[in-house]
Structure formats: C-alpha cells, structure tokens
Amino acid sequence: MAQETRELICINCPMGCPLTVTLEDGVVTSVSGNTCPRGDAYGRKEVTNPTRIVTTTVPVDGSATERMVSVKTALDIPKGKIFDVVRELSGVRAQAPVEIGDVVLANVAGTGVDVIATKRA
Amino acid sequence: MSAAIERRAIVVVGGGPAGLAAAIAAYEAGEHDVLILERDTQLGGILNQCIHNGFGLHTFKEELTGPEYAQRFIDRADELGIERRLGTMVLDISSERVVTTVSAANGIDRIQAGAVVLAMGCRERPRGALATPGYRPAGVYSAGTAQRLVNIEGQLPGREVVILGSGDIGLIMARRMTLEGAHVACVAEIMPYSGGLKRNIVQCLDDFGIPLLLSHTVVDVEGRDRVEAVTIAQVDERLKPIPGTEVRYPCDTLMLSVGLLPENELSREAGVELSPVTRGPVVDQSLQTSVAGIFACGNVLHVHDLVDFVSQEAAAAGTQAARYVMADAEEASASRGIPVAATDGVRYTVPSFIDPQRMDDTLTVRFRVANEFRDRYVSVYLDDERIQHRKKRVMAPGEMEQVVLKRADLLAREGLSQITVKLEEA
Ligand SMILES: Cc1cc2nc3c(=O)[nH]c(=O)nc-3n(C[C@H](O)[C@H](O)[C@H](O)COP(=O)(O)OP(=O)(O)OC[C@H]3O[C@@H](n4cnc5c(N)ncnc54)[C@H](O)[C@@H]3O)c2cc1C
Ligand code: SF4
C-alpha cells in the first residue's frame, strides 16, 4: 500500500489555505488544513483532475463606453485546456449592448463550458 | 462667490469598492443625504481593470471577477438612489470638512460636508523610488498601468517580459501577459518571500512554469529608446547584489510591481494624522481620523489584498459617519481611547486607538506581520493580561490578519491603559 502526501495551496479564494492531501494507492483518503469545505473539494480535485476558471477580454463593437469587455469561463475547465480556450477566443468580438452573464462563446474548446461576459458594455 | 455653499450630510471621496460600501452603509444606517465624488467616468475603482476571478467569496459565497463584484455594489447604490458625481475630482478637503471639487461640467465647486469618508484607494509606488540604474527607456511599465492597457485599452505592452516585484498585480499580470501570447521570463523579488497572495503564485506562476526568483533584483536595464535587456542578480541578507550572480535577460518590457501606497495627499492637507507604517490615516474604533468627522476606509487607510475586507471595513466607516452626523457631533469627538500597540512581529494595527465606551459589541482589528512566520500564536494583551492566544500555521506580510475584540472584555478591565497585539512562539 503506497501512502503519499502532497502539500498544496487552496486557490479557491484569496485566503490561500495550506492543504495537506493524503493519498493511498492514488486515492485521496484525507485533506487537512482547509478552512471551509471548498478547500476539501479543491484538494481532492487538484491531485486527480486540476481545473481552472479562465478570465480574459474580447473586443466589443458598438459600445459608447468600452473598447474591451471582460469575460470568464462560466465554470472550471481542465487546466490543460487553458491555452485552447484563449486560442478559440482570439477571433471573437462581442456586440454591444452586453450584459453581465451574456454568452460570448458557447461550448469553448469542446469543454461544454460557455464563456460569459463579466462587465456591461 | 456669493452663492450659498452646498451642504451635504455625508460626502464620500472615491467611488471604488470602499466608497460604494461606505455610501450604502451610511444610507442604510439612516442618513439618506449621501454624495459620492469620483474622478473617473465610472464607479468601481480599481476593480474595473481586475478582470481575474477571486473577489467576493466571503461576501457572496461565489467567486466573482472584479467588474462583477463592483456591479453588485453599483446596483445596490442605484437601487437606493445614492447620488454620485462622476468625472469629479476632489482637489481639497479642509479640516472643517469643506470639500473642493473640479469637473468639466461644473468647474470648481465647494461642498460643506457634515462628515467626510475618505475612500481614494492607493497608487503604485513610482519607479523613481527604485534604485534601478541606467536610462529610462520605453518599455518600463508599472504593473497596474500595464493591466489597464491590456484589460481596458486592449493593447499589449510587449512580447518578452521580465517582472520586478512579486506583488499581486505583478503576479496577475504575469499570467495575463502569458495568456495574451507574451513570454514572461521570470518574476524577480528582492525579499526572501513574495509580497503577493499564495494563490496567485500557484495559479499565475506555477501553472505556467514562470520562475519566481526570490532574493533577486534588477541591477541593469539596457536600451536607450526601448528596453533591450535587463540584468538580474541575487542579493545578500542586506539586499545588496552579490557579484558574479548576474544573469542577462533579453526583453522588450520590464514590469514593476513593487508595492502600493495609500493615496493621502488630500488627507494630509486636511490635517489628518498619518501613520508612518501604513502611510494611511491613524484611526480609532469608529475608523475616524484625527480630524473630527473625517473617516477613512479601504486602500487609502491601509493596503488590502481582499476586497471582501475592504467592503466590510468601508461599511463600518459609512455606518459610523452616519452616526456621527445624526448624533451630537460634540459628543462624538471626545477622547481618543486606549492605544493599540503592535509589537513582536506585528507591524501595525487598524484601528490604533479604541474607546471601549464607543465601540460596538465586537470590533475587528486588522493587522499585518513583518515577516514570514510558521506556527506562531497571535496574542492579545490587555495591559499584562493575555486574553487571546490563537495558533496560525503560516503568516506572511502579503496577507492581512485579524483579531476580534469584545467590548465586554475591555470594559471589564478598569484603568486599562494599553491593548497589545503580538506574535508569540508558544
Ligand atoms: C491589481 C489588483 C488585484 C487585486 N486582486 C484581488 C483579488 O483577486 N481578490 C480580492 O478580493 N481583492 C483583490 N485586490 C484588492 C482589492 O480589489 C482592492 O483592495 C480594492 O479594490 C480597494 O478598494 P478602494 O475602494 O479602497 O480603492 P480603489 O478601487 O482604488 O478606488 C478608489 C477610487 O477613488 C477615486 N479617487 C481617488 N482620488 C480621488 C479624488 N481626488 N477625487 C475623486 N475620486 C478619487 C479613484 O478614481 C477610484 O475610483 C486587488 C487589487 C489590485 C490593485
Ligand atoms: S479552504 Fe476555503 S477559505 Fe481556505 S482558501 Fe480554500 S476556499 Fe478559501
């Protein structure tokens, strides 16, 4: 039985709690150091299937106030797909009026996750 | 000049997250005559350019980007009908709370405020304050300026980047530039620890394999018109470059993220006493400055890394400002209270004076530590009696800490002359 511990920093919020994840034969058996349940979930996921929210901007046409509109993936996407997401967004332009939550690009990079606006424009 | 001077109960200077939360709280506390003055053309402050996520988990139980977080507060201010003047810059605040503004629409105006809430935020430490030698070629940006260029203007400042200083904006920009197709060679930090949040080191540097060089600094910048290369060297304990450790990095951009300074020109002119440690006003339990009726919150008071704490602190300042104007002003500006001493690894506390008679049932005292500490106890003493002792696994200068004091504890001690917040090994 192979026991292994990994030290991680929870990135779910800026508190940045230091986590210790214990694995037995590649299966997570415990997470400690977290302040809230999100830390536990993060610790389990980070050692098996790390994911991230991606934030960036796209140009917006027809807005009186904004040149760029900020966007994010509505949910976490696999960490290995960060650059695919950014690449797919590189040709995309938004059209004013834009509301927070509007879908700017659906199902980005085959992740099943939409890219949505985070600012009005 | 014969026109009667405009009178307002509460004037909030700055419409960032601090100003918004203060104005909303003042309104909700019962004082509806609240005016926000903002020099920018929109509310939201620095959050408008902070497009990354990580805001508001503690306030809204969800993770928002800067613009989304700001919008929640703007919506609430709209709902309450709180008046704001955009494109309006405050030029001066007198110790009698006369606020002088300038705007393209109205020229120069003067407002007599019942109470003033300072919420002007902070600015980046200028590069002139750094001892980087050589010419001042184009391609040297402060990280915040670069953030604005990329996120608001949609321009990429450069393609091959070296970042000096590991403050949060620098870390965030390392990732941002990478996603925009630039190459970030490294982040050099002169101190042996990072000034930024750990989560930002993980997801902005580690995720992209960008090296963080602790105890390193820039010793040379090459290029006359545009940056062509920078040289980075390791430093010793006295922060002096160690000869022979120099490495040259060809690049077109040097980004500086070397810290933030509270923006206190106006406070100084109003006669507000400033702390040499935080560079922000010295405040009491009500977040009132040394000038009666002038309150402070957010980054103008002390630099925050978490907007949630900015909003909480600002709400307290707004509530207190409302109480001040609604109560008898004379009563509100009596003694200063008991001093709070920050010792043994604690750099400062906010507030630095507490009057137990005037405090709420509980009071959050925020502080920063002077170094990286592991397995230390945060202790609170009332004179020589220890009343709190709490172990923390890790503390770092980049992360704000807090203790909560109870009014009952303070009142229970007669003749209390000093409150001390310090770190202890056991
Ligand atoms: C780059 C960066 C990244 C950050 N990342 C995070 C994060 O991931 N998570 C998190 O929780 N927090 C983060 N923070 C911290 C948090 O966002 C800030 O602490 C917070 O925005 C400070 O709010 P404020 O209202 O005090 O200042 P500001 O947002 O700076 O607002 C001050 C306002 O006052 C106005 N003003 C100034 N002077 C005058 C004047 N004379 N007249 C009129 N108006 C004036 C300015 O225009 C501005 O709008 C980050 C901060 C920065 C800088
Ligand atoms: S464990 Fe909870 S509080 Fe700690 S960093 Fe993670 S999300 Fe934040």
Side-chain angles (χ1 to χ4, degrees), chain A residues 12-88:
Chain A
N12 265 296
C13 87
M15 297 261 294
C17 297
L19 308 179
T20 306
V21 182
T22 311
L23 299 106
E24 247 163 60
D25 294 326
V27 178
V28 178
T29 50
S30 74
V31 178
S32 62
N34 51 309
T35 305
C36 77
R38 288 175 60 118
D40 185 272
Y42 172 79
R44 289 169 193 279
K45 207 169 62 172
E46 185 67 9
V47 296
T48 49
N49 169 33
T51 61
R52 298 287 184 268
I53 299 266
V54 178
T55 61
T56 184
T57 51
V58 300
V60 55
D61 296 317
S63 166
T65 52
E66 312 298 328
R67 209 179 283 207
M68 307 297 289
V69 61
S70 51
V71 299
K72 69 175 181 187
T73 52
L75 297 167
D76 282 33
I77 55 111
K79 189 174 138 184
K81 291 228 169 190
I82 294 175
F83 280 103
D84 296 336
V85 169
V86 174
R87 220 167 289 131
E88 259 201 41

Side-chain angles (χ1 to χ4, degrees), chain A residues 7 9-20 32-33 36 38 42 46 52-57 66-72 79 82-83 86 100-101 116-120, chain B residues 42 48 51-55 57-58 61-65 67-68 71 75 78 150-155 175-176 178-180 197-199 202-203 207-208 305-306 309 393-394 399:
Chain A
E7 305 282 329
I9 301 291
C10 178
I11 59 163
N12 265 296
C13 87
M15 297 261 294
C17 297
L19 308 179
T20 306
S32 62
C36 77
R38 288 175 60 118
Y42 172 79
E46 185 67 9
R52 298 287 184 268
I53 299 266
V54 178
T55 61
T56 184
T57 51
E66 312 298 328
R67 209 179 283 207
M68 307 297 289
V69 61
S70 51
V71 299
K72 69 175 181 187
K79 189 174 138 184
I82 294 175
F83 280 103
V86 174
I100 290 177
I116 59 175
T118 58
K119 190 170 173 48
R120 267 183 207 163
Chain B
Q42 55 184 335
N48 287 315
I51 64 155
H52 58 282
N53 61 316
F55 297 83
L57 182 64
H58 293 273
K61 305 285 172 250
E62 62 180 305
E63 220 182 319
L64 302 172
T65 63
E68 290 171 302
Q71 196 61 47
D75 287 347
D78 288 348
V150 178
N151 293 345
I152 307 280
E153 310 295 336
Q155 292 169 21
R175 174 178 61 184
R176 189 75 191 101
T178 306
L179 290 182
E180 288 294 322
L197 296 171
K198 285 180 293 238
R199 82 186 297 253
V202 173
Q203 57 176 357
D207 273 7
F208 300 97
D305 13 70
L306 292 192
F309 296 156
R393 269 177 75 185
V394 188
E399 322 216 352

